[in-house]
Amino acid sequence: QRRSHKIPLNMMCLSIHQVITLVALTSFSAAARSTIAFVGKPTSQSHNRHTAGHHKKLYLPSSLPSTGVSKRLPSPLYGKDKYANDGDTPKLTQNELLLQLETKLEYDGRISSKVSSDDDETTDDDNEDTIISSTHRCALVTILGLPNMGKSTLLNALLSDDLAIATNRPQTTRHAILGVMTTDHSQICLTDTPGIIGSPAYRLQEGMMDVVNGAVRDCDVFLVVTDVYSGGKMDMDSDEDDDDENLDKMGIGEDMLARLQQAHRPVIVVVNKVDLVADTDESVYTNTPVKAIQTIQKWRSVLPDAFAIIPTCAANGPEDQGVVALRSILLANDPDVNVGAAIRNLGRPVAGMFPASSGGMPTNEEAKAILPLGPPLYHADFFTDRTDRFCASELIRETLFETLKKEMPYCCEVRIETFDESKRYLDEDSPSGSNNKKNKSMIRIGALILVERDSQKGIVVGKGGQKIKDVGMDARKKLQAFFGVKIFLDLRVKVDKNWRSNKEKLKQYGYM
């Protein structure tokens, strides 16, 4: 910043000293980390499908976590926060800390923080920055579960948008994918993670589990996704009962379940796919299936303090009553959200959906208490931290799953080699007459599909190249719908032997 804003060297040194002093003085303040994240300088670009162009996100300087500063505030539902101030040092409110930073670190070119009082929530229409109320809440929510539980489908339903690819093949998701829900009063940062694998078989799976562990370590709220079979047992005719001693059948794995029980952070369990065990043709929420009730009660027995256990049919989309109830809990800080009404739409309450100590379905006040107080970490129109190239590669990989079905080699990887947005084309579909024809945007995408063996290359290419041609046609349609412009797609297939176990290749491909 000294180079970009031409700050005198002595002034820059003084500011660094003041930063260190401020961090030391406020190390017991529960609001410090989120506040510093809010006033940090904007950096990397990310993909936003709802506005033109890219947007910058605010980041937390990597040197700060060692100070012991937590961005979470104490929750009345979950006891005293472990980062709370136990000494005589007075706690600073979020606004007091922001004001101190504003006065101590003032210099030419610095991006100003927006500070408001509890009763001041006005905004300036001429300024793209919004004044944030001290009652604003921001939470990092990690979505966890075994493979093929419907985690990505649930993420898409909550966001009302198709961000993460979802297929019926296990372990479709290989990366952590961030999707952000932002309102005037809340920001919920949802992270979809790969399915939990008990014993990784190769380095790729090890990298995927590192992603899961990192998301678990950094989150404020756990969103555990399971299904009515409590571990994916899909045999509808089986009379075999689940064994409580085998915690893998709880749809999360023994080690992860132990971490949830010891984390002292809010947990919400989503029992997905309840429509698969419907007893009648009527709505599953009008008459909750017996199998779903048993699953809810079983989860309550192993996670007695879970804030809620919600039945859903995520495949039904954003308007599914279970998805609406879950979204209402996460956005309970918004005055126009009614948590009680959303839960009542699920039908007659099922024993075990809420803790025995809560006295029934939660109120808005109880629901919003599980979310930490703090300013948003991202701009209001920020949607995901994933780039256009990443989204394009995932859509092509999803098309491979759908086209090849069971023939699809799991080792397939898609790399985007070219992504050229500079080209334009003459719209031939415009009304006749050259004056009416317009030059419109287009994207030229060159993608490389990697497999590990020559035999797998033959499966992907198909006889006479028919399979890869079908993949290209279907993928182009998806890409055009996603980006909203004409797409020119060039697909090639290459053998990259044992890339899943090659540490250098995995680093290159973003898995480690």
Side-chain angles (χ1 to χ4, degrees):
Q1 285 201 355
R2 176 174 178 264
R3 180 179 301 171
S4 58
H5 299 297
K6 298 181 180 179
I7 306 171
L9 181 61
N10 59 344
M11 186 173 182
M12 186 184 75
C13 295
L14 182 61
S15 298
I16 292 173
H17 173 73
Q18 291 170 337
V19 169
I20 295 173
T21 304
L22 280 173
V23 170
L25 288 174
T26 60
S27 62
F28 292 99
S29 171
R33 184 174 175 186
S34 60
T35 301
I36 295 172
F38 177 52
V39 300
K41 67 179 182 180
T43 61
S44 62
Q45 293 183 334
S46 347
H47 176 65
N48 180 3
R49 294 183 52 195
H50 304 299
T51 58
H54 296 271
H55 300 273
K56 298 178 179 180
K57 75 173 184 177
L58 302 176
Y59 83 115
L60 180 66
S62 59
S63 60
L64 286 176
S66 61
T67 63
V69 178
S70 170
K71 66 180 181 62
R72 299 192 66 239
L73 290 180
S75 168
L77 287 185
Y78 289 87
K80 186 176 181 181
D81 196 287
K82 65 178 180 179
Y83 296 111
N85 182 9
D86 294 325
D88 297 328
T89 305
K91 289 184 180 179
L92 295 177
T93 66
Q94 173 183 296
N95 280 356
E96 289 172 343
L97 185 59
L98 279 172
L99 287 170
Q100 282 197 20
L101 291 171
E102 198 67 28
T103 55
K104 297 285 187 181
L105 301 179
E106 188 60 39
Y107 56 82
D108 183 34
R110 181 181 180 273
I111 298 175
S112 175
S113 304
K114 298 293 180 277
V115 186
S116 74
S117 61
D118 290 345
D119 55 355
D120 182 10
E121 300 184 22
T122 60
T123 60
D124 184 0
D125 293 336
D126 297 328
N127 192 328
E128 65 173 330
D129 293 323
T130 302
I131 298 177
I132 304 301
S133 167
S134 59
T135 60
H136 187 279
R137 293 180 184 268
C138 180
L140 304 178
V141 180
T142 293
I143 303 176
L144 297 169
L146 291 181
N148 212 27
M149 292 290 108
K151 299 182 294 298
S152 298
T153 304
L154 179 64
L155 174 69
N156 293 338
L158 287 171
L159 296 174
S160 301
D161 212 328
D162 291 332
L163 172 61
I165 65 172
T167 73
N168 57 6
R169 291 285 297 272
Q171 297 180 0
T172 299
T173 301
R174 292 175 175 174
H175 301 266
I177 300 177
L178 173 68
V180 181
M181 289 194 300
T182 301
T183 68
D184 291 340
H185 303 272
S186 309
Q187 186 173 87
I188 308 300
C189 306
L190 297 157
T191 301
D192 183 24
T193 60
I196 297 172
I197 305 170
S199 301
Y202 37 83
R203 286 187 179 272
L204 171 60
Q205 291 186 342
E206 292 176 3
M208 291 162 59
M209 290 307 97
D210 288 341
V211 167
V212 174
N213 291 329
V216 168
R217 185 170 55 248
D218 296 336
C219 77
D220 299 309
V221 179
F222 294 107
L223 188 57
V224 179
V225 182
T226 183
D227 64 15
V228 287
Y229 303 98
S230 294
K233 188 168 60 181
M234 301 300 291
D235 185 3
M236 298 284 292
D237 299 324
S238 175
D239 295 328
E240 180 183 352
D241 193 14
D242 292 332
D243 183 359
D244 287 341
E245 295 180 0
N246 184 358
L247 297 181
D248 283 341
K249 290 186 178 180
M250 292 308 298
I252 195 67
E254 181 176 357
D255 292 341
M256 190 59 66
L257 184 58
R259 293 180 67 176
L260 292 177
Q261 293 169 331
Q262 300 168 9
H264 304 295
R265 278 176 278 178
V267 178
I268 300 174
V269 178
V270 174
V271 179
N272 197 20
K273 307 180 184 180
V274 295
D275 54 321
L276 298 183
V277 291
D279 299 323
T280 64
D281 293 335
E282 62 182 344
S283 169
V284 292
Y285 299 115
T286 301
N287 187 13
T288 306
V290 174
K291 181 64 177 176
I293 295 175
Q294 294 173 347
T295 304
I296 290 171
Q297 294 173 345
K298 188 172 297 183
W299 271 97
R300 178 57 64 188
S301 68
V302 296
L303 289 175
D305 296 326
F307 180 78
I309 302 176
I310 306 295
T312 66
C313 307
N316 291 343
E319 300 305 318
D320 177 75
Q321 290 164 281
V323 173
V324 171
L326 178 60
R327 190 187 297 116
S328 298
I329 291 174
L330 295 175
L331 297 177
N333 196 43
D334 289 37
D336 57 343
V337 170
N338 189 329
V339 174
I343 293 175
R344 283 192 292 272
N345 288 335
L346 296 178
R348 186 176 60 187
V350 174
M353 285 180 62
F354 307 105
S357 58
S358 67
M361 67 180 62
T363 64
N364 275 46
E365 290 298 318
E366 291 172 331
K368 72 182 183 181
I370 70 174
L371 308 175
L373 286 166
L377 298 177
Y378 303 95
H379 291 288
D381 53 5
F382 185 93
F383 182 58
T384 182
D385 61 343
R386 290 299 179 174
T387 64
D388 290 345
R389 285 174 171 260
F390 176 84
C391 294
S393 69
E394 287 289 275
L395 286 172
I396 296 171
R397 193 163 63 89
E398 180 184 43
T399 308
L400 281 167
F401 276 113
E402 294 173 349
T403 304
L404 300 178
K405 296 181 172 59
K406 292 185 178 180
E407 293 183 89
M408 162 76 172
Y410 181 72
C411 65
C412 279
E413 169 71 2
V414 178
R415 308 301 302 164
I416 302 299
E417 295 190 307
T418 59
F419 193 95
D420 185 2
E421 301 178 77
S422 64
K423 306 297 182 182
R424 302 183 71 83
Y425 75 102
L426 194 63
D427 187 6
E428 299 293 342
D429 295 329
S430 298
S432 60
S434 58
N435 292 334
N436 294 324
K437 293 186 178 181
K438 298 180 180 179
N439 284 324
K440 293 190 175 181
S441 299
M442 70 176 297
I443 303 176
R444 289 180 174 269
I445 300 175
L448 184 63
I449 301 172
L450 301 176
V451 293
E452 288 190 322
R453 296 192 297 273
D454 290 327
S455 59
Q456 295 169 343
K457 180 178 179 179
I459 292 174
V460 176
V461 173
K463 185 176 181 180
Q466 188 59 46
K467 286 289 186 182
I468 194 66
K469 182 179 179 180
D470 293 341
V471 170
M473 292 172 59
D474 293 341
R476 190 177 73 250
K477 292 177 183 178
K478 289 188 176 186
L479 291 167
Q480 288 181 164
F482 188 88
F483 292 110
V485 298
K486 188 178 181 67
I487 299 292
F488 178 84
L489 180 61
D490 177 34
L491 295 179
R492 293 186 299 115
V493 184
K494 177 183 176 181
V495 176
D496 189 355
K497 293 185 178 180
N498 299 320
W499 70 266
R500 290 184 297 175
S501 300
N502 188 314
K503 188 174 182 179
E504 294 303 318
K505 290 290 179 67
L506 291 173
K507 287 181 179 179
Q508 179 183 343
Y509 299 162
Y511 290 107
M512 300 188 76

